Coordinates of all heavy atoms in Angstrom, one line a residue:
M16 N 130.5 74.2 124.3 CA 129.8 74.0 123.0 C 130.7 73.0 122.2 O 131.9 73.2 122.1 CB 129.6 75.3 122.3 CG 128.9 75.2 121.0 SD 128.7 76.8 120.1 CE 127.4 77.5 121.0
N17 N 130.0 71.9 121.8 CA 130.8 71.0 121.0 C 130.9 71.3 119.6 O 130.3 72.3 119.1 CB 130.2 69.5 121.3 CG 128.9 69.4 120.6 OD1 128.5 70.0 119.7 ND2 128.1 68.5 121.3
V18 N 131.6 70.5 118.8 CA 131.8 70.8 117.4 C 130.5 70.8 116.6 O 130.3 71.7 115.7 CB 132.9 69.8 116.8 CG1 133.0 70.0 115.3 CG2 134.2 69.9 117.5
R19 N 129.7 69.8 116.9 CA 128.4 69.7 116.2 C 127.6 70.9 116.4 O 126.9 71.5 115.5 CB 127.7 68.5 116.7 CG 126.4 68.2 115.8 CD 125.8 66.8 116.2 NE 124.7 66.7 115.3 CZ 123.6 66.1 115.8 NH1 123.4 65.7 117.0 NH2 122.6 66.0 114.9
Q20 N 127.5 71.4 117.6 CA 126.7 72.7 117.9 C 127.3 73.9 117.2 O 126.5 74.7 116.7 CB 126.7 72.9 119.4 CG 125.8 71.9 120.2 CD 125.9 72.1 121.7 OE1 127.0 72.3 122.2 NE2 124.8 71.8 122.4
K21 N 128.6 74.0 117.2 CA 129.2 75.1 116.5 C 128.9 75.0 115.0 O 128.6 76.1 114.4 CB 130.7 75.1 116.7 CG 131.2 75.6 118.0 CD 132.7 75.6 118.1 CE 133.1 76.0 119.5 NZ 134.6 76.0 119.6
K22 N 128.9 73.9 114.4 CA 128.6 73.7 113.0 C 127.2 74.1 112.7 O 126.9 74.8 111.8 CB 128.8 72.2 112.6 CG 128.7 72.0 111.1 CD 129.0 70.6 110.7 CE 128.8 70.4 109.2 NZ 129.1 69.0 108.8
Q23 N 126.3 73.6 113.6 CA 124.9 74.0 113.4 C 124.6 75.5 113.5 O 123.9 76.1 112.8 CB 124.0 73.2 114.4 CG 123.8 71.8 114.1 CD 123.1 71.0 115.1 OE1 123.0 71.4 116.3 NE2 122.5 69.9 114.7
E24 N 125.3 76.1 114.5 CA 125.2 77.5 114.7 C 125.8 78.3 113.4 O 125.2 79.3 113.0 CB 126.0 78.0 115.9 CG 125.8 79.4 116.3 CD 126.5 79.7 117.6 OE1 126.3 79.0 118.6 OE2 127.3 80.7 117.6
M25 N 126.9 77.8 112.9 CA 127.4 78.5 111.7 C 126.5 78.4 110.5 O 126.3 79.3 109.7 CB 128.8 77.9 111.3 CG 129.9 78.5 112.1 SD 131.5 77.7 111.6 CE 131.8 78.4 110.0
L26 N 125.9 77.2 110.3 CA 124.9 77.0 109.2 C 123.7 77.8 109.4 O 123.2 78.4 108.4 CB 124.5 75.5 109.1 CG 125.5 74.5 108.6 CD1 125.1 73.1 108.7 CD2 125.8 74.9 107.1
A27 N 123.2 78.0 110.6 CA 122.1 78.8 110.9 C 122.4 80.3 110.6 O 121.6 81.0 110.0 CB 121.6 78.7 112.3
A28 N 123.6 80.8 110.9 CA 124.1 82.1 110.6 C 124.2 82.3 109.1 O 123.7 83.4 108.6 CB 125.4 82.4 111.3
M29 N 124.7 81.3 108.4 CA 124.8 81.4 106.9 C 123.4 81.6 106.3 O 123.2 82.3 105.4 CB 125.5 80.2 106.4 CG 127.0 80.3 106.6 SD 127.9 78.8 106.1 CE 127.3 78.5 104.4
H30 N 122.5 80.8 106.8 CA 121.1 80.8 106.2 C 120.4 82.2 106.5 O 119.7 82.7 105.6 CB 120.2 79.7 106.8 CG 120.6 78.3 106.3 ND1 120.4 78.0 105.0 CD2 121.3 77.3 106.8 CE1 120.8 76.7 104.8 NE2 121.4 76.3 105.9
R31 N 120.7 82.7 107.7 CA 120.1 84.0 108.0 C 120.7 85.1 107.1 O 120.0 86.0 106.6 CB 120.4 84.4 109.5 CG 119.5 83.7 110.5 CD 119.6 84.2 111.9 NE 120.9 84.3 112.4 CZ 121.5 83.3 113.1 NH1 120.9 82.2 113.3 NH2 122.8 83.5 113.5
A32 N 122.0 85.0 106.9 CA 122.7 86.0 106.0 C 122.2 85.9 104.6 O 121.9 86.9 103.9 CB 124.2 85.8 106.1
R33 N 122.0 84.7 104.1 CA 121.5 84.5 102.8 C 120.1 85.0 102.6 O 119.7 85.5 101.5 CB 121.6 83.0 102.5 CG 121.4 82.7 100.9 CD 121.7 81.2 100.6 NE 123.1 81.0 100.7 CZ 123.7 79.9 101.1 NH1 123.0 79.0 101.7 NH2 125.0 79.8 101.2
A34 N 119.3 84.9 103.6 CA 117.9 85.3 103.5 C 117.9 86.8 103.4 O 116.9 87.4 102.9 CB 117.2 84.9 104.8
L35 N 118.9 87.5 103.9 CA 119.0 89.0 103.8 C 119.5 89.5 102.5 O 119.3 90.6 102.1 CB 119.8 89.6 104.9 CG 119.4 89.3 106.3 CD1 120.4 89.8 107.3 CD2 118.0 90.0 106.6
E36 N 120.1 88.6 101.7 CA 120.6 89.0 100.4 C 119.5 89.3 99.4 O 118.5 88.6 99.4 CB 121.4 87.9 99.8 CG 122.8 87.7 100.4 CD 123.6 86.6 99.7 OE1 123.1 86.0 98.7 OE2 124.6 86.3 100.3
P37 N 119.6 90.4 98.6 CA 118.7 90.7 97.6 C 118.8 89.8 96.4 O 119.4 90.1 95.4 CB 119.0 92.2 97.3 CG 120.4 92.3 97.6 CD 120.7 91.4 98.7
S38 N 118.3 88.5 96.5 CA 118.6 87.5 95.5 C 118.0 87.8 94.1 O 118.6 87.4 93.1 CB 118.1 86.2 96.0 OG 116.7 86.2 96.2
S39 N 117.0 88.5 94.0 CA 116.4 88.8 92.7 C 116.9 90.1 92.2 O 116.5 90.6 91.1 CB 114.9 88.8 92.8 OG 114.5 90.0 93.6
F40 N 117.9 90.7 92.8 CA 118.4 92.0 92.4 C 119.7 91.8 91.5 O 120.7 91.2 91.9 CB 118.8 92.8 93.7 CG 119.5 94.1 93.4 CD1 118.8 95.1 92.7 CD2 120.8 94.4 93.9 CE1 119.4 96.3 92.5 CE2 121.3 95.6 93.7 CZ 120.7 96.6 93.0
V41 N 119.6 92.3 90.2 CA 120.7 92.0 89.3 C 121.1 93.4 88.8 O 120.5 94.0 87.8 CB 120.2 91.2 88.1 CG1 121.4 90.9 87.2 CG2 119.6 89.9 88.6
P42 N 122.0 94.1 89.4 CA 122.4 95.5 89.1 C 123.2 95.7 87.9 O 123.2 96.7 87.3 CB 123.2 95.9 90.3 CG 123.8 94.7 90.8 CD 122.8 93.6 90.6
N43 N 124.0 94.7 87.4 CA 124.9 94.9 86.3 C 124.2 95.4 85.0 O 124.7 96.3 84.4 CB 125.7 93.7 86.0 CG 126.7 93.4 87.2 OD1 127.1 94.3 88.0 ND2 127.2 92.2 87.2
K44 N 123.1 94.8 84.7 CA 122.3 95.2 83.5 C 121.9 96.7 83.6 O 122.1 97.4 82.7 CB 121.1 94.3 83.3 CG 120.4 94.5 82.1 CD 119.3 93.4 82.0 CE 118.4 93.7 80.7 NZ 117.4 92.7 80.7
L45 N 121.5 97.1 84.8 CA 121.1 98.5 85.0 C 122.3 99.4 84.8 O 122.2 100.4 84.1 CB 120.5 98.7 86.4 CG 120.3 100.1 86.9 CD1 119.2 100.8 86.0 CD2 119.9 100.1 88.3
L46 N 123.4 99.1 85.5 CA 124.5 100.0 85.4 C 125.2 100.0 84.1 O 125.5 101.1 83.5 CB 125.6 99.6 86.4 CG 125.1 99.7 88.0 CD1 126.2 99.1 88.9 CD2 124.7 101.1 88.3
D47 N 125.2 98.9 83.4 CA 125.8 98.8 82.0 C 124.9 99.5 81.1 O 125.4 100.2 80.1 CB 126.0 97.4 81.6 CG 127.1 96.7 82.4 OD1 127.9 97.3 83.0 OD2 127.1 95.4 82.4
T48 N 123.6 99.5 81.2 CA 122.7 100.2 80.3 C 122.9 101.7 80.5 O 122.9 102.5 79.5 CB 121.2 99.8 80.6 OG1 121.1 98.4 80.4 CG2 120.2 100.6 79.8
L49 N 123.0 102.2 81.7 CA 123.2 103.6 82.0 C 124.5 104.0 81.4 O 124.6 105.1 80.7 CB 123.2 103.9 83.5 CG 121.8 103.9 84.2 CD1 122.0 103.9 85.7 CD2 121.0 105.0 83.7
I50 N 125.6 103.3 81.5 CA 126.9 103.6 80.9 C 126.8 103.7 79.4 O 127.3 104.7 78.8 CB 127.9 102.6 81.3 CG1 128.3 102.8 82.9 CG2 129.2 102.7 80.5 CD1 129.1 101.8 83.5
E51 N 126.1 102.8 78.8 CA 125.9 102.8 77.4 C 125.0 104.0 76.9 O 125.4 104.7 76.0 CB 125.3 101.5 76.9 CG 125.1 101.4 75.4 CD 124.5 100.0 75.0 OE1 124.7 99.0 75.7 OE2 123.7 100.1 74.0
K52 N 123.9 104.2 77.6 CA 123.0 105.2 77.2 C 123.6 106.7 77.3 O 123.4 107.5 76.5 CB 121.8 105.2 78.1 CG 120.8 106.3 77.9 CD 119.6 106.0 77.1 CE 118.6 107.2 77.2 NZ 117.9 107.4 76.1
L53 N 124.4 106.8 78.4 CA 125.1 108.1 78.6 C 126.4 108.3 77.9 O 127.1 109.3 78.1 CB 125.2 108.3 80.1 CG 123.9 108.3 80.9 CD1 124.1 108.4 82.4 CD2 123.0 109.5 80.5
H54 N 126.8 107.2 77.2 CA 128.1 107.3 76.5 C 129.3 107.4 77.4 O 130.1 108.3 77.1 CB 128.1 108.3 75.3 CG 126.9 108.2 74.4 ND1 126.8 107.2 73.4 CD2 125.8 108.9 74.3 CE1 125.7 107.3 72.8 NE2 125.0 108.4 73.2
L55 N 129.3 106.7 78.5 CA 130.4 106.7 79.4 C 131.3 105.6 79.2 O 131.0 104.6 78.5 CB 129.8 106.7 80.8 CG 128.7 107.8 81.2 CD1 128.1 107.5 82.5 CD2 129.3 109.2 81.0
K56 N 132.5 105.7 79.8 CA 133.5 104.6 79.6 C 133.5 103.6 80.7 O 133.7 102.4 80.5 CB 134.9 105.3 79.6 CG 135.2 106.1 78.4 CD 136.6 106.6 78.5 CE 136.8 107.6 77.3 NZ 138.1 108.2 77.3
N57 N 133.1 104.0 82.0 CA 133.2 103.1 83.1 C 132.4 103.6 84.3 O 131.7 104.6 84.2 CB 134.7 102.9 83.5 CG 135.4 104.2 83.7 OD1 134.8 105.2 84.2 ND2 136.6 104.2 83.4
D58 N 132.5 102.8 85.4 CA 131.7 103.1 86.6 C 132.2 104.5 87.2 O 131.4 105.2 87.8 CB 131.9 102.0 87.6 CG 131.1 100.8 87.3 OD1 130.3 100.8 86.4 OD2 131.3 99.8 88.0
A59 N 133.5 104.8 87.0 CA 134.0 106.0 87.6 C 133.3 107.2 87.0 O 132.9 108.2 87.7 CB 135.5 106.1 87.4
E60 N 133.1 107.2 85.7 CA 132.4 108.3 85.0 C 130.9 108.3 85.4 O 130.3 109.4 85.5 CB 132.5 108.2 83.5 CG 133.9 108.6 82.9 CD 133.9 108.7 81.4 OE1 132.9 108.5 80.8 OE2 135.0 109.0 80.9
L61 N 130.3 107.1 85.6 CA 128.9 107.1 86.0 C 128.8 107.7 87.4 O 127.8 108.4 87.6 CB 128.5 105.6 86.0 CG 127.0 105.4 86.4 CD1 126.1 106.1 85.5 CD2 126.7 103.9 86.5
C62 N 129.8 107.5 88.2 CA 129.8 108.1 89.6 C 129.7 109.6 89.5 O 129.0 110.3 90.2 CB 131.0 107.7 90.4 SG 131.0 106.0 90.9
R63 N 130.6 110.1 88.6 CA 130.6 111.6 88.4 C 129.3 112.2 87.9 O 128.9 113.2 88.4 CB 131.8 112.0 87.5 CG 133.1 111.8 88.2 CD 134.3 112.4 87.4 NE 134.7 111.6 86.3 CZ 135.5 110.6 86.3 NH1 136.0 110.3 87.5 NH2 135.9 109.9 85.3
V64 N 128.7 111.5 86.9 CA 127.5 111.9 86.3 C 126.3 111.9 87.3 O 125.5 112.8 87.4 CB 127.1 111.1 85.1 CG1 125.7 111.3 84.6 CG2 128.1 111.4 83.9
L65 N 126.3 110.8 88.1 CA 125.2 110.6 89.1 C 125.6 111.4 90.4 O 124.7 111.5 91.3 CB 125.0 109.2 89.4 CG 124.5 108.3 88.3 CD1 124.4 106.9 88.7 CD2 123.2 108.8 87.7
E66 N 126.7 111.9 90.5 CA 127.2 112.7 91.7 C 127.1 111.9 93.0 O 126.5 112.2 94.0 CB 126.3 113.9 91.8 CG 126.5 114.9 90.7 CD 125.5 116.1 90.7 OE1 124.9 116.3 91.7 OE2 125.4 116.8 89.7
V67 N 127.7 110.6 92.9 CA 127.8 109.7 94.0 C 129.2 109.3 94.2 O 130.0 109.3 93.2 CB 126.8 108.5 93.9 CG1 125.4 108.9 93.8 CG2 127.2 107.6 92.7
Q68 N 129.6 108.9 95.4 CA 130.9 108.4 95.6 C 131.1 107.0 95.0 O 130.2 106.2 95.0 CB 131.2 108.3 97.1 CG 131.2 109.7 97.8 CD 132.3 110.5 97.3 OE1 133.4 110.1 97.2 NE2 132.0 111.8 97.0
P69 N 132.3 106.7 94.4 CA 132.6 105.4 93.8 C 132.2 104.2 94.6 O 131.7 103.2 94.1 CB 134.1 105.5 93.5 CG 134.4 106.9 93.4 CD 133.5 107.6 94.3
P70 N 132.4 104.2 96.0 CA 132.0 103.0 96.7 C 130.4 102.7 96.6 O 130.0 101.5 96.7 CB 132.3 103.4 98.2 CG 133.4 104.3 98.1 CD 133.1 105.2 96.8
I71 N 129.7 103.7 96.3 CA 128.2 103.4 96.2 C 127.9 102.6 95.0 O 127.3 101.6 95.1 CB 127.4 104.8 96.1 CG1 127.6 105.6 97.3 CG2 125.9 104.5 95.8 CD1 127.1 105.1 98.6
I72 N 128.5 103.0 93.8 CA 128.3 102.2 92.6 C 129.0 100.8 92.7 O 128.4 99.8 92.3 CB 128.9 102.9 91.3 CG1 128.1 104.3 91.1 CG2 128.8 102.1 90.1 CD1 126.7 104.1 90.8
S73 N 130.1 100.8 93.4 CA 130.8 99.5 93.6 C 129.9 98.5 94.4 O 129.8 97.4 94.1 CB 132.1 99.7 94.3 OG 132.8 98.5 94.5
K74 N 129.3 99.0 95.5 CA 128.5 98.3 96.4 C 127.2 97.8 95.6 O 126.7 96.7 95.8 CB 128.1 99.0 97.6 CG 129.2 99.1 98.6 CD 128.9 99.9 99.8 CE 130.1 100.0 100.7 NZ 129.8 100.8 101.9
I75 N 126.6 98.7 94.8 CA 125.5 98.3 94.0 C 125.9 97.2 93.0 O 125.2 96.2 92.9 CB 124.9 99.6 93.3 CG1 124.2 100.5 94.3 CG2 123.9 99.1 92.2 CD1 123.8 101.8 93.7
R76 N 127.0 97.3 92.3 CA 127.4 96.4 91.3 C 127.7 95.0 92.0 O 127.4 94.0 91.4 CB 128.6 96.8 90.6 CG 129.0 95.9 89.4 CD 130.0 96.5 88.4 NE 129.6 97.6 87.6 CZ 128.9 97.5 86.5 NH1 128.4 96.4 86.1 NH2 128.7 98.6 85.8
H77 N 128.2 95.0 93.2 CA 128.6 93.8 93.8 C 127.4 93.3 94.8 O 127.7 92.4 95.7 CB 129.9 94.0 94.6 CG 131.0 94.1 93.7 ND1 131.6 95.3 93.5 CD2 131.7 93.2 93.0 CE1 132.6 95.2 92.6 NE2 132.7 93.9 92.3
R78 N 126.2 93.8 94.6 CA 125.0 93.4 95.3 C 125.1 93.5 96.8 O 124.5 92.8 97.5 CB 124.7 91.9 94.9 CG 124.4 91.9 93.4 CD 124.2 90.4 93.0 NE 123.0 89.9 93.8 CZ 122.6 88.7 93.7 NH1 123.3 87.8 93.0 NH2 121.5 88.3 94.4
K79 N 125.9 94.5 97.3 CA 126.0 94.7 98.7 C 125.0 95.8 99.1 O 124.8 96.1 100.3 CB 127.4 95.2 99.1 CG 128.5 94.2 98.7 CD 128.5 93.0 99.6 CE 129.7 92.1 99.2 NZ 129.5 90.8 99.5
L80 N 124.5 96.6 98.1 CA 123.6 97.7 98.3 C 122.5 97.7 97.2 O 122.8 97.6 96.1 CB 124.4 99.0 98.3 CG 123.7 100.3 98.6 CD1 123.2 100.4 100.1 CD2 124.6 101.5 98.3
N81 N 121.3 97.9 97.6 CA 120.2 98.0 96.6 C 120.2 99.4 96.1 O 120.7 100.3 96.8 CB 118.9 97.7 97.3 CG 118.6 96.2 97.4 OD1 119.0 95.4 96.6 ND2 118.0 95.8 98.5
V82 N 119.6 99.6 95.0 CA 119.4 101.0 94.4 C 118.2 101.6 95.2 O 117.1 101.2 95.1 CB 119.0 100.9 92.9 CG1 118.8 102.3 92.3 CG2 120.2 100.2 92.1
G83 N 118.6 102.7 95.9 CA 117.6 103.4 96.7 C 116.8 104.4 95.8 O 117.1 104.6 94.6
A84 N 115.8 105.0 96.4 CA 114.9 105.9 95.7 C 115.7 107.1 95.1 O 115.5 107.6 94.0 CB 113.8 106.3 96.6
T85 N 116.6 107.6 95.9 CA 117.3 108.9 95.6 C 118.1 108.6 94.3 O 118.2 109.4 93.4 CB 118.2 109.3 96.7 OG1 117.4 109.6 97.9 CG2 118.9 110.6 96.4
I86 N 118.9 107.5 94.3 CA 119.8 107.2 93.2 C 119.0 106.8 92.0 O 119.4 107.1 90.8 CB 120.9 106.3 93.6 CG1 122.0 106.3 92.5 CG2 120.4 104.8 93.7 CD1 123.3 105.6 93.0
L87 N 117.9 106.1 92.2 CA 117.1 105.7 91.1 C 116.5 107.0 90.4 O 116.5 107.1 89.3 CB 115.9 104.8 91.6 CG 115.0 104.3 90.5 CD1 115.8 103.3 89.7 CD2 113.8 103.5 91.2
L88 N 116.0 107.9 91.2 CA 115.5 109.2 90.7 C 116.6 110.0 89.9 O 116.4 110.5 88.8 CB 114.9 110.1 91.8 CG 114.3 111.4 91.4 CD1 113.1 111.0 90.4 CD2 113.7 112.1 92.6
R89 N 117.8 109.9 90.5 CA 119.0 110.6 89.8 C 119.3 109.9 88.5 O 119.6 110.6 87.5 CB 120.2 110.6 90.7 CG 121.1 111.7 90.4 CD 122.2 111.8 91.4 NE 121.7 112.4 92.6 CZ 122.3 112.5 93.8 NH1 123.5 112.0 93.9 NH2 121.8 113.1 94.8
M90 N 119.2 108.6 88.4 CA 119.4 107.8 87.2 C 118.4 108.2 86.2 O 118.8 108.4 85.0 CB 119.4 106.3 87.5 CG 120.5 105.8 88.3 SD 120.3 104.0 88.7 CE 121.8 103.6 89.4
H91 N 117.2 108.3 86.6 CA 116.1 108.8 85.7 C 116.4 110.2 85.2 O 116.2 110.4 83.9 CB 114.7 108.7 86.4 CG 113.7 109.5 85.8 ND1 113.1 109.0 84.5 CD2 113.0 110.6 86.1 CE1 112.2 109.9 84.2 NE2 112.1 110.8 85.1
E92 N 116.7 111.1 86.0 CA 116.9 112.4 85.6 C 118.0 112.6 84.6 O 118.0 113.3 83.7 CB 117.2 113.4 86.8 CG 116.0 113.6 87.7 CD 116.3 114.3 89.0 OE1 117.5 114.4 89.4 OE2 115.4 114.7 89.6
K93 N 119.1 111.8 84.8 CA 120.3 111.9 84.0 C 120.2 111.2 82.7 O 120.7 111.6 81.6 CB 121.6 111.4 84.7 CG 121.9 112.2 85.9 CD 122.3 113.6 85.6 CE 122.6 114.3 87.0 NZ 123.1 115.7 86.8
S94 N 119.4 110.1 82.6 CA 119.2 109.3 81.5 C 118.0 109.4 80.7 O 117.9 109.0 79.6 CB 119.4 107.8 81.8 OG 118.3 107.4 82.6
N95 N 117.0 110.0 81.4 CA 115.6 110.1 80.8 C 115.0 108.7 80.5 O 114.0 108.6 79.8 CB 115.5 110.9 79.5 CG 115.8 112.3 79.8 OD1 115.3 112.9 80.8 ND2 116.6 113.0 78.9
I96 N 115.5 107.7 81.1 CA 114.9 106.3 81.1 C 113.8 106.3 82.2 O 114.0 106.7 83.3 CB 115.9 105.2 81.4 CG1 117.0 105.2 80.4 CG2 115.2 103.9 81.4 CD1 118.1 104.3 80.6
P97 N 112.6 105.9 81.8 CA 111.5 105.9 82.8 C 111.9 105.0 84.0 O 112.6 104.0 83.9 CB 110.3 105.2 82.0 CG 110.6 105.4 80.6 CD 112.1 105.5 80.5
I98 N 111.4 105.4 85.2 CA 111.7 104.7 86.4 C 111.3 103.3 86.4 O 112.0 102.4 86.8 CB 111.1 105.4 87.6 CG1 111.9 106.8 87.8 CG2 111.2 104.6 88.9 CD1 111.4 107.7 88.9
R99 N 110.1 103.0 85.8 CA 109.6 101.6 85.7 C 110.7 100.8 84.9 O 111.0 99.7 85.3 CB 108.3 101.6 85.0 CG 107.8 100.1 84.7 CD 106.4 100.1 84.2 NE 105.6 100.1 85.4 CZ 104.4 100.7 85.4 NH1 104.0 101.4 84.3 NH2 103.7 100.8 86.5
E100 N 111.2 101.3 83.8 CA 112.2 100.6 83.0 C 113.4 100.4 83.8 O 114.1 99.3 83.7 CB 112.4 101.4 81.7 CG 113.2 100.7 80.7 CD 113.3 101.4 79.4 OE1 112.4 102.1 79.0 OE2 114.4 101.2 78.7
L101 N 113.9 101.4 84.5 CA 115.1 101.3 85.3 C 115.0 100.1 86.3 O 115.8 99.3 86.5 CB 115.5 102.6 86.0 CG 115.9 103.8 85.2 CD1 116.0 105.0 86.0 CD2 117.3 103.4 84.5
K102 N 113.8 100.1 87.0 CA 113.5 99.0 87.9 C 113.5 97.6 87.3 O 113.9 96.7 87.8 CB 112.2 99.3 88.7 CG 112.4 100.5 89.7 CD 111.1 100.9 90.3 CE 110.7 99.9 91.3 NZ 109.4 100.3 92.1
E103 N 112.9 97.6 86.1 CA 112.9 96.3 85.3 C 114.2 95.8 85.0 O 114.5 94.6 84.9 CB 112.0 96.5 84.1 CG 110.5 96.6 84.4 CD 109.7 96.9 83.2 OE1 110.3 97.1 82.0 OE2 108.4 97.0 83.3
L104 N 115.2 96.7 84.8 CA 116.6 96.3 84.4 C 117.2 95.6 85.6 O 118.3 94.9 85.4 CB 117.4 97.5 84.0 CG 117.0 98.2 82.6 CD1 117.7 99.5 82.5 CD2 117.4 97.2 81.6
T105 N 116.8 95.8 86.8 CA 117.4 95.1 88.0 C 116.8 93.7 88.3 O 117.3 93.1 89.1 CB 117.3 96.0 89.2 OG1 115.9 96.1 89.6 CG2 117.9 97.3 89.0
T106 N 115.8 93.3 87.5 CA 115.2 92.0 87.7 C 115.8 91.0 86.8 O 116.1 91.3 85.6 CB 113.7 92.0 87.6 OG1 113.3 92.5 86.3 CG2 113.1 92.9 88.7
P107 N 116.0 89.8 87.2 CA 116.5 88.8 86.3 C 115.6 88.5 85.1 O 114.4 88.5 85.3 CB 116.8 87.6 87.2 CG 115.9 87.7 88.3 CD 115.7 89.2 88.5
A108 N 116.2 88.2 84.0 CA 115.4 87.8 82.8 C 114.8 86.4 83.0 O 115.4 85.5 83.6 CB 116.2 87.8 81.6
L109 N 113.5 86.3 82.7 CA 112.8 85.0 82.8 C 113.1 84.2 81.6 O 113.1 84.6 80.5 CB 111.3 85.2 82.9 CG 110.8 86.0 84.1 CD1 109.4 86.2 84.1 CD2 111.2 85.3 85.4
H110 N 113.5 82.9 81.8 CA 113.9 82.0 80.7 C 112.7 81.2 80.3 O 111.8 80.7 80.9 CB 114.9 81.0 81.1 CG 116.2 81.8 81.5 ND1 117.1 82.1 80.6 CD2 116.7 82.2 82.7 CE1 118.1 82.7 81.1 NE2 117.9 82.7 82.5

C-alpha cells in the first residue's frame, strides 16, 4: 500500500467516525440547567443525585455518550422538568 492509498484510507476512516458523532447533540446546556435547577455545585454532585457513576456524566458532557432513556427519565424525576424540555435543552439554538 502506497502513501496515497494510506492517506485516502485514513480520510475515509475519519469521515466514517465523524458520521457517527452526534453532531446536533449539545449536552452542556442540559447538564448546566440541571445543576442550576437542583442547586448543585458541580458534575460530581449531579452524579450523586442522579445515582450514576461520574464517567457517565463526563462522557455525556464530552459528547462521547448520548443521554439515554433511563438517565433522561431520572433527570425528569429529580428535577421535575418535563422530558420534552430536557430533550430541547440538548439541541443547538437556532440563530
Side-chain angles (χ1 to χ4, degrees):
M16 182 180 284
N17 65 30
V18 174
R19 184 170 184 224
Q20 288 172 324
K21 284 183 181 181
K22 184 177 179 181
Q23 287 177 336
E24 189 176 306
M25 276 179 74
L26 285 172
M29 285 174 46
H30 288 289
R31 285 192 305 271
R33 192 170 289 138
L35 296 174
E36 287 181 5
S38 60
S39 64
F40 176 61
V41 185
N43 290 340
K44 188 175 175 184
L45 169 65
L46 298 175
D47 293 341
T48 299
L49 285 168
I50 289 171
E51 183 180 326
K52 169 103 172 147
L53 299 172
H54 306 288
L55 305 174
K56 293 180 184 176
N57 52 34
D58 286 352
E60 285 190 2
L61 182 61
C62 291
R63 286 190 283 277
V64 169
L65 297 178
E66 301 171 9
V67 297
Q68 295 296 315
I71 300 296
I72 297 298
S73 177
K74 287 178 183 178
I75 290 172
R76 189 169 289 279
H77 292 99
R78 299 177 59 189
K79 304 288 186 204
L80 181 69
N81 282 325
V82 178
T85 304
I86 196 163
L87 187 65
L88 186 59
R89 202 171 288 169
M90 289 173 173
H91 163 69
E92 290 172 345
K93 300 294 182 177
S94 68
N95 291 321
I96 297 173
I98 291 176
R99 173 174 277 143
E100 190 175 327
L101 290 171
K102 289 173 76 174
E103 287 173 359
L104 289 170
T105 64
T106 56
L109 299 175
H110 295 277

